[in-house]
Amino acid sequence: MQRRDLTLAIGAVLVAVACVGLGVWQIQRLGQRRARNALVAARLALPPLELPAIAVPLDSVRQRRVRAYGVYDFSAEQTWPGRSFQGTPGVALVTPLRLADGSAVLVDRGWVPSPDAYHVDQTQYREPDTATVIGLALIPPRGRGDVDTKGYLPFVIQQEEQDPRRGLPRRWPQPVLDDGPHLSYAIQWFSFAVIVLVGTAALLRSRK
């Protein structure tokens, strides 16, 4: 075998090994995603946790359905800008709910349209002051606007989707617990490895 062919063969093997490694990595990510989905599904299957809850660890509330009864404080309502729905720009309305024990929790009441994904007339989307809210307890993410959580319970209730005929604010749907693209990506990387090896072998054979 000529030196040029040997270099080509070694390069093809290295590329194939890298592709296989990336495919294995995607399989590992698929396993992690499935484990995380199983945990979320188990939490969602639990009965809603009644708020205010006494001495409940934050980790026990995260990604769990909760129920809270209280009065909305629309004067302290905030927005999360840059939230789109089916490609339409908008914001999320985040309203404090004052509970019977004097504490308060932020409620993500859902999405409303906004041409610049920032400004919106919040008074158009008021709901009855007294409300029973059922939704998913989420830790406020960083980098999605300056939502001030100081003085509130350390999570946001993402209110559950209601009757679609209700209108706005549009509630966020339940989290999608699927496998994502990891399996298809793994198959692609494995396929690339096979293509590189087979293609290189065919090229080397044609030179003989």
Side-chain angles (χ1 to χ4, degrees):
M1 178 180 290
Q2 298 182 6
R3 183 174 182 179
R4 181 186 60 180
D5 293 344
L6 180 60
T7 301
L8 179 61
I10 293 174
V13 170
L14 292 176
V15 171
V17 168
C19 290
V20 170
L22 290 170
V24 171
W25 175 59
Q26 288 294 338
I27 293 296
Q28 292 173 343
R29 293 192 64 191
L30 174 61
Q32 294 168 356
R33 185 178 183 123
R34 286 176 173 172
R36 183 171 60 251
N37 287 346
L39 178 60
V40 173
R43 286 181 175 269
L44 291 175
L46 295 173
L49 181 66
E50 299 289 342
L51 296 181
I54 306 299
V56 175
L58 180 59
D59 286 343
S60 299
V61 180
R62 187 198 311 260
Q63 292 284 354
R64 181 170 173 180
R65 295 173 68 239
V66 298
R67 179 188 288 112
Y69 175 80
V71 179
Y72 280 127
D73 182 2
F74 290 106
S75 66
E77 187 170 69
Q78 307 174 53
T79 62
W80 272 343
R83 305 295 304 277
S84 63
F85 183 82
Q86 297 181 346
T88 302
V91 302
L93 300 180
V94 183
T95 313
L97 185 72
R98 306 290 177 184
L99 307 179
D101 68 344
S103 63
V105 62
L106 292 174
V107 177
D108 182 349
R109 296 194 294 120
W111 173 91
V112 296
S114 170
D116 62 359
Y118 189 84
H119 296 94
V120 66
D121 182 2
Q122 297 164 226
T123 61
Q124 295 184 27
Y125 307 107
R126 296 283 171 85
E127 300 180 63
D129 292 345
T130 302
T132 298
V133 174
I134 300 177
L136 195 62
L138 301 176
I139 305 302
R142 297 180 179 179
R144 290 171 62 184
D146 297 324
V147 175
D148 184 7
T149 59
K150 185 177 181 180
Y152 304 111
L153 296 179
F155 53 85
V156 174
I157 300 178
Q158 183 175 283
Q159 194 163 0
E160 289 185 347
E161 188 173 13
Q162 294 183 341
D163 187 337
R165 296 171 298 179
R166 183 189 168 282
L168 300 173
R170 186 179 295 277
R171 312 296 191 210
W172 301 107
Q174 289 284 338
V176 177
L177 304 178
D178 58 17
D179 287 344
H182 303 299
L183 181 58
S184 62
Y185 286 167
I187 293 173
Q188 288 178 10
W189 284 118
F190 293 145
S191 299
F192 291 157
V194 172
I195 291 171
V196 169
L197 292 176
V198 172
T200 302
L203 178 61
L204 293 177
R205 180 175 297 179
S206 68
R207 290 179 176 179
K208 294 181 179 180

